[in-house]
């Protein structure tokens, strides 16, 4: 919403003279956030000029330019002596004798555009003839959307009559109101009344201590029974509220169809960002901007019967003013002609047929009060937000309906002639506004400032509330001992003003008190939080996982969790894979990715590809995040009321309908993992790096990980490690991706990846590690090579060795894997280094050999190992 | 022993002749001094201290002397041998020091050569900011609460006083789960975590809720359909807007710098009343540069919305609004990163280009 500083000054008396920025700062303090500042940034000379003659010269590009001689009065003497001035102009929408706006050397246009005499197109152009865009006044007086680029011709901009009073050389800054700054503010949904100069001026008065002069403080013609017939026939009110509870209709006949609105009104409309159109339309817009009451003007000659306000019927249609044929919804509130022909969607937009036009002489002015919810729903259903709907949705003052119509009628009469009908229709079903009890100590308790009762009352009265102070009973009655002198209620009884439907309870009033008395007065007090327990185990685990991966060379990414069904095929997931059971977004940004991911890996692929395509051939990335894993059963989350806590059964239903979202960590790598350099060649990443990283994560959290071979999409069936806890709980998978997956996903060959369940790791690591005593006796080392069948996993062999070697075994390391003639085909030899240490003595060679032999025997028994 | 010459004169034994001894010593010292390496010193040592050296021979001949002469000759030979031994040790030491110094010079490498044997990864700066903010609050005794990203409408909207007619519930703003009447959405803020916390946790309650949120905005330089928020909620008896301000002042100072002035201005949110926006002094221009790009010349940086928890929200969560008060606030993590580290384009935060995260290191 915009507010010209000059217009504000008209409604607020006694406020100090202020710049636009100062006005904006005042309004910000009242809760109207500054959006922009317009105007006020032109410095002269900017003058009225008359085009005396011009020569049109066609340029090489085929575009014409005009070399004009312009009379600019006594201005612009710096370069050429006397008048006229020679000026080059690229626009062609003006003629000889037109009055135009000329900016002369030394002036500065909006955006800091400094004007000087300059040589161009073979002439010295001594200034510029201005377009509406250059002056920052938008497109004016034309339906052509390119009009902003056209020259402002003052005869059409101001009208012949007013233009006739101008003399070349007159100051155009004042004439066009360009010195007037316009403040643009954001209006929050609770302050619908600030979609009017009346509302903003009221806040400006609060901010500055000026006196608010209410533009609605005027008399309106009394309603009678001879006005245009109006019936309010809402048979399906929403939430028990009538769609329309007040409808004022006034008729003005014999208006001059070609009359235009006065320049001051056009200027204000332009300043407000609206385009002057015709007297009737301009007047309704002007009143709306001034008072916040949207009006509609009907051409009386198009109407056949009474105005009937009712809900739509199935199948009804309306071609609205924006020339769109709209099928109406049964909840839409309509303005109809005699109950049949649809004239308008109430409070949103009128129809084309009843629109006032170039030949309209008899105008019906509608001023009505519509239910905010009804208008909001219609506006959204039709995806149609208008100046009217914006205001009705947020609440329009129901007490100014008749006044707004009166103001419009008066303006029509003043500038269009004609006569107003004696009949004044005002169908008024406004519900009474309720008084609200307010504990006067509440603002102090909520804000933390010691507001007195008097201060609270003063502030509430200032914003227009009617406040009744507590009444006292029983005073002075001596005969009845039970009657004590005590307040019946110590609460204030507050009637909010008609334009403040948002004021419903104590905290609403508290906000008004602190708003008026200043948010800047609120002190700063640090609360003493009840002693917290720090991060949870799960939160600490995630930090360890992320930091460990970063230290292992992986870079953290945060990808969007949206995938396509195709991505499941690309990953080679079997048809019945639970990862194909997804949550689908009803309104995805892209139909290409309407599903929530079921694995983190699936969305990281694109990030890896992007890195490679940007030249990062050696890339390792990781992500920690949620996946959505519904069980496929359709469930609906109930939506209970909010007047009380839903019962546990309902809450349980809500929780159960929310699909499980386990947390995962995934990492993927390609290219070299150890970089090449002057020190030697790089080392390409392979399956050992991701399995190693997974093992590192487990070690970092002191979790034992059992690694076995698996065949699980999207991994290479011969290079896929299944990661489990000691108790067999699945943690995840790691290894090289399946060559087909690599191809279908467009990844570099041999890309390796892993995905682990963070929730499982978190639970597994949530045990206190019990310390082992460290022996300081010497270690004894024994090497052994064991030959097994190719199918035997190293994990199984090692586990047998460990079990056989017993408690004295401190560590076992796999030093070599050999395949070849010496061990026979289909066999492999694994060389282990066993390290033994006893807690309380030095082991003898004999003992060590015995332990080693037990390990060999156990390996032989478990997996058929033979010592080499 | 029968042939022992009792009148044996040691001076007559040539090797024990004092002049010869002196000459041998001088010769040895000269040879040692002339040795320019440990190897040549070894050769000199063998020549002048070895078994066949004149001094060793002399030493051996002492045994053949009559007892009367033994002491005198022994003394002279011993002194001579001592001189030679000392000179040798001295020279040996000198040459070793020289060798050690030379070795260090020879082993010199160019330590300025770039080395990157192992590649270090990096955390995502949004996560680091989020952790940092969480730590600020944990240090004050608050806790970090989390919740699901696919969330029920009731938690995301209704319980927060965003009724069915609230604009945010329209499909142009919110991702709805299919079918749309399933009552599920992608959470549009982390506030549903606050609702869950109020329903599940004991009072008093001091929590911050960081996390991913979703709105149907196309990705561009300043918007992303997926972004991160951190919201805070305190519920206790006697909490006021002054406590809200105190908390946010501390937060701003901890994240952006000590002594930054803040301002509260009235605003509107369905879930708070009174509501406010918190701005803080532009830490770039401190309000003195009308063309400052960080604050747009206003001198203030908009930081986030806040307010006192709306009674309706308490009601929906079963908290007695006449006994408890509370405050809540919410900020964008992306915005914090943009402000604090000059990130200009939202897209860089979501693309996963390793160069983006790597520049921030592991602590922000
Ligand atoms: Zn600044």
């Amino acid at each position: 919403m915009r507010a010209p500083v000059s217009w504000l000054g008209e409604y607020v008396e006694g406020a100090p003279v202020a710049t636009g920025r100062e006005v904006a700062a005042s309004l910000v303090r009242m809760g109207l956030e500054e959006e922009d500042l317009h105007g006020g940034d032109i410095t002269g000379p900017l003058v009225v000029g008359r085009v005396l003659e011009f020569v049109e010269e066609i340029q090489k590009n085929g575009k014409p330019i005009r070399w004009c001689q312009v009379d600019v009065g006594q201005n612009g003497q710096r370069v050429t002596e006397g008048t006229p001035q020679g000026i080059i102009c690229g626009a062609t929408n003006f003629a000889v004798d037109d009055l135009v706006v000329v900016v002369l050397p030394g002036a500065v246009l909006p955006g800091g555009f400094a004007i000087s005499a300059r040589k161009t197109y073979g002439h010295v152009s001594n200034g510029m003839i201005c377009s509406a865009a250059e002056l920052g006044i938008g497109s004016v007086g034309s339906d052509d959307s390119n009009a902003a680029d056209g020259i402002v011709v003052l005869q059409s901009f101001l009208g012949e009559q007013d233009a006739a009073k101008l003399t070349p050389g007159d100051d155009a800054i004042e004439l066009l109101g360009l010195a007037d700054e316009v403040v643009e503010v954001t209006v929050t949904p609770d302050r619908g009344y600030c979609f009017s100069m009346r509302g903003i001026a009221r806040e400006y008065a609060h901010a500055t201590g000026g006196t608010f002069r209410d533009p609605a403080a005027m008399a309106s013609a009394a309603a009678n029974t001879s006005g245009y017939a109006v019936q309010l026939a809402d048979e399906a009110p929403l939430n028990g509220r009538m769609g329309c509870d007040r409808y004022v209709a006034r008729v003005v006949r014999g208006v001059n169809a070609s009359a235009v609105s006065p320049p001051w009104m056009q200027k204000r409309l332009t300043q407000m960002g609206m385009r002057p159109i015709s007297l009737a339309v301009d007047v309704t817009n002007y009143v709306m901007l001034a008072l916040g009451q949207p009006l509609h003007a009907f051409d009386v000659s198009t109407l056949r019967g009474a105005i009937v306000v009712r809900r739509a019927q199935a199948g009804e249609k309306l071609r609205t003013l924006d020339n769109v044929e709209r099928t109406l919804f049964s909840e839409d509130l309509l303005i109809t002609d005699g109950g049949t022909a649809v004239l308008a969607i109430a409070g949103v937009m009128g129809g084309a047929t009843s629109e006032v036009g170039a030949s309209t002489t008899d105008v019906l002015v509608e001023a009505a009060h519509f239910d905010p919810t009804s208008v909001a729903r219609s506006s959204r259903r039709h995806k149609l937000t208008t100046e009217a709907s914006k205001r009705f949705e947020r609440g329009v003052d129901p007490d100014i309906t008749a006044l707004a119509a009166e103001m419009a009628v008066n303006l029509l009469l003043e500038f269009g002639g004609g006569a107003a009908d004696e009949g004044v229709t005002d169908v008024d079903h406004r519900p009474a506004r309720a008084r609200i009890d307010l504990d006067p100590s509440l603002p102090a308790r909520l804000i933390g400032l010691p507001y007195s009762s008097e201060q609270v009352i003063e502030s509430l009265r200032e914003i227009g509330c009617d406040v009744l102070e507590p009444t006292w009973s029983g005073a002075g009655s001596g005969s009845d001992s039970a009657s004590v002198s005590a307040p019946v209620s110590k609460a204030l009884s507050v009637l909010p003003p008609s334009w403040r439907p948002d004021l419903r309870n104590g905290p609403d009033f508290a906000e008004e008190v602190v708003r008026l008395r200043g948010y800047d007065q609120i002190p700063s007090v640090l609360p003493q939080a009840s002693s917290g327990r720090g991060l949870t185990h799960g939160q600490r685990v995630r930090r360890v996982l992320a930091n460990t991966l970063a230290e292992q060379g992986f870079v953290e990414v945060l990808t969007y969790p949206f995938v396509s069904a195709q991505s499941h095929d690309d990953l080679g997931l079997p048809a019945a894979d639970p990862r194909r059971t997804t949550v689908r977004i009803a309104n995805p940004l892209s139909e290409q990715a309407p599903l929530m991911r079921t694995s983190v890996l699936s969305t990281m692929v694109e990030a890896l590809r992007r890195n490679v395509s940007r030249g990062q051939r050696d890339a390792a990335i990781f992500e920690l995040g949620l996946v959505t894993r519904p069980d496929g059963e359709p469930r609906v989350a109930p939506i209970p009321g909010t007047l009380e806590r839903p019962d546990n059964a309902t809450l349980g239903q809500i929780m159960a309908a929310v699909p499980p979202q386990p947390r995962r960590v995934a990492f993927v790598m390609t290219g070299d993992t150890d970089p090449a350099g002057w020190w030697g060649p790089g080392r390409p990443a392979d399956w050992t790096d991701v399995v190693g990283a997974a093992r590192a994560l487990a070690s970092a959290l002191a979790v034992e990980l059992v690694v076995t071979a698996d065949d699980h999409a999207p991994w290479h069936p011969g290079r896929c490690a299944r990661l489990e806890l000691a108790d067999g709980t699945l943690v995840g998978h790691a290894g090289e991706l399946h060559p087909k997956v690599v191809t279908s996903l467009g990844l570099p060959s041999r890309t390796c990846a892993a995905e682990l369940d963070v929730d499982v790791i978190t639970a597994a690591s949530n045990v206190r590690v019990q310390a082992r005593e460290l022996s300081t006796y010497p270690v004894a080392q024994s090497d052994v090579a064991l030959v097994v069948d190719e199918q035997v996993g190293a994990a199984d062999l090692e586990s047998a060795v460990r079990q056989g070697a017993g408690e004295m075994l401190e560590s076992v390391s796999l030093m070599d894997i050999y395949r070849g003639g010496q061990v026979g085909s289909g066999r492999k030899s694994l060389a282990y280094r066993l390290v033994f240490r006893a807690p309380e003595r030095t082991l003898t060679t004999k003992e060590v050999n015995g332990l080693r032999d037990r390990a060999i025997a156990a390996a032989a028994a478990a997996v058929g190992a033979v010592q080499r | 022993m029968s042939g022992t010459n009792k009148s044996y004169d040691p001076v007559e034994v040539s090797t024990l002749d004092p002049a010869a001894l002196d000459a041998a010593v001088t010769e040895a010292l000269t040879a040692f001094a002339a040795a320019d390496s440990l190897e040549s010193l070894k050769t000199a040592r063998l020549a002048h201290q070895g078994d066949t050296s004149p001094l060793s021979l002399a030493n051996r001949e002492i045994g053949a002397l009559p007892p009367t002469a033994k002491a005198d000759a022994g003394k002279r030979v011993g002194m001579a041998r001592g001189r030679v031994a000392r000179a040798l040790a001295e020279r040996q030491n000198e040459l070793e020091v020289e060798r050690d110094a030379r070795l260090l010079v020879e082993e010199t490498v160019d330590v300025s050569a770039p080395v990157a044997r192992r590649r270090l990864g990096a955390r995502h700066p949004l996560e680091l900011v989020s952790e940092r903010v969480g730590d600020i609050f944990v240090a004050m005794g608050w806790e970090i609460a989390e919740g699901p990203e696919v969330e029920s409408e009731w938690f995301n909207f209704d319980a927060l006083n965003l009724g069915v007619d609230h604009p945010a519930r329209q499909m142009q703003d919110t991702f709805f789960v299919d079918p749309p009447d399933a009552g599920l959405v992608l959470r549009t803020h982390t506030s549903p975590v606050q609702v869950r916390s109020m329903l599940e946790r004991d009072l008093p309650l001091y929590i911050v809720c960081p996390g991913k949120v979703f709105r149907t905005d196309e990705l561009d330089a300043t918007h992303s359909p997926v972004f991160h928020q951190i919201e805070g909620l305190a519920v206790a008896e006697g909490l006021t807007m002054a406590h809200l301000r105190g908390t946010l002042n501390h937060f701003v100072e901890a994240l952006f710098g000590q002594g930054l002035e803040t301002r509260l201005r009235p605003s509107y949110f369905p879930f708070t009343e009174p509501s406010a926006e918190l701005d803080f002094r532009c830490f770039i221009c401190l309000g003195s540069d009308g063309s400052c790009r960080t604050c747009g010349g206003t001198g203030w940086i908009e930081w986030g919305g806040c307010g006192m928890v709306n009674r309706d929200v308490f009601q929906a969560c079963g908290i007695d609004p006449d006994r408890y008060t509370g405050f809540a606030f919410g900020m964008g993590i992306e915005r914090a990163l943009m402000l604090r580290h000059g990130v200009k384009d939202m897209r860089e935060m979501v693309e996963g280009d390793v160069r983006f995260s790597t520049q921030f290191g592991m602590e922000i």
Side-chain angles (χ1 to χ4, degrees), chain A residues 505-771:
Chain A
N505 59 28
D508 293 332
F509 294 121
E511 180 174 89
E512 292 306 299
V513 172
V514 62
R515 201 168 65 87
L516 260 75
R517 310 200 81 84
Y519 270 51
D520 54 349
Q521 301 298 307
I522 300 172
S524 176
V525 179
L526 203 54
Q528 199 58 52
S530 52
S531 44
R533 293 161 292 186
L535 298 181
T536 63
H537 171 66
Q539 288 157 356
R540 285 195 301 270
V541 162
R542 267 141 53 194
R543 291 190 181 188
V544 169
L545 294 177
N547 290 335
T548 302
L549 282 170
E551 279 154 14
Q552 300 265 322
F554 294 89
V555 176
E556 187 169 24
V557 298
L558 295 165
T559 60
Y560 291 169
F562 309 126
V563 296
S564 63
Q566 175 65 38
S567 88
H568 298 146
D569 296 339
D570 291 343
L571 290 170
L573 304 188
D577 195 296
R579 285 171 289 178
R580 285 184 180 270
T581 307
T582 55
V583 159
R584 176 179 289 273
I585 304 301
N587 54 333
L589 271 188
S590 158
E591 288 302 333
Q592 305 305 310
L595 309 176
M596 294 301 284
R597 68 179 174 196
T598 52
S599 86
V600 172
L601 207 49
S602 60
T603 60
M604 293 173 66
V605 170
E606 193 188 337
L608 186 68
R609 267 199 310 259
R610 183 176 292 124
N611 275 292
V612 172
S613 74
R614 288 182 179 179
Q616 199 74 39
R617 295 182 53 210
D618 308 327
I621 56 176
F622 81 96
E623 179 169 356
L624 242 159
L626 301 186
V627 297
T628 309
R629 298 296 295 269
D631 59 9
E633 290 296 314
R635 292 189 186 87
V636 169
I639 302 180
T642 57
L643 292 178
E644 57 179 13
R645 183 187 202 273
D647 58 48
N648 286 337
T650 309
L651 282 175
Q653 273 179 297
I654 296 177
M655 307 269 195
V658 173
Q661 292 160 67
R663 196 177 297 272
R664 298 290 181 73
V665 61
F667 39 101
V668 52
M669 64 198 305
T670 183
D672 281 353
T673 180
D674 289 344
W678 59 266
W679 53 82
R683 186 176 67 76
D686 62 25
W687 66 272
T688 62
D689 292 296
V690 283
V691 174
R695 287 181 183 274
L697 293 182
S699 302
L701 292 161
V703 170
E704 191 191 334
L705 209 55
V706 178
V707 182
T708 53
D710 201 354
D711 178 3
H712 184 73
W715 282 274
H716 186 310
R719 297 183 173 187
C720 171
R722 179 184 177 85
L723 313 169
E724 289 175 353
L725 298 180
D727 67 4
T729 307
L730 179 65
V731 174
H733 290 86
E736 187 179 310
L737 290 178
H738 196 294
K740 273 189 186 165
V741 171
V742 165
T743 305
S744 58
L745 293 177
L747 295 174
S749 61
R750 304 289 174 200
T751 296
C752 293
E755 178 150 353
L756 278 63
D757 191 316
V758 175
D759 298 335
V760 169
I761 298 173
T762 300
S765 60
N766 199 12
V767 288
R768 289 185 207 167
V769 172
Q770 296 301 310

Side-chain angles (χ1 to χ4, degrees), chain A residues 73 500 716 721 782 842:
Chain A
R500 294 298 303 270
H716 186 310
S782 179
T842 305

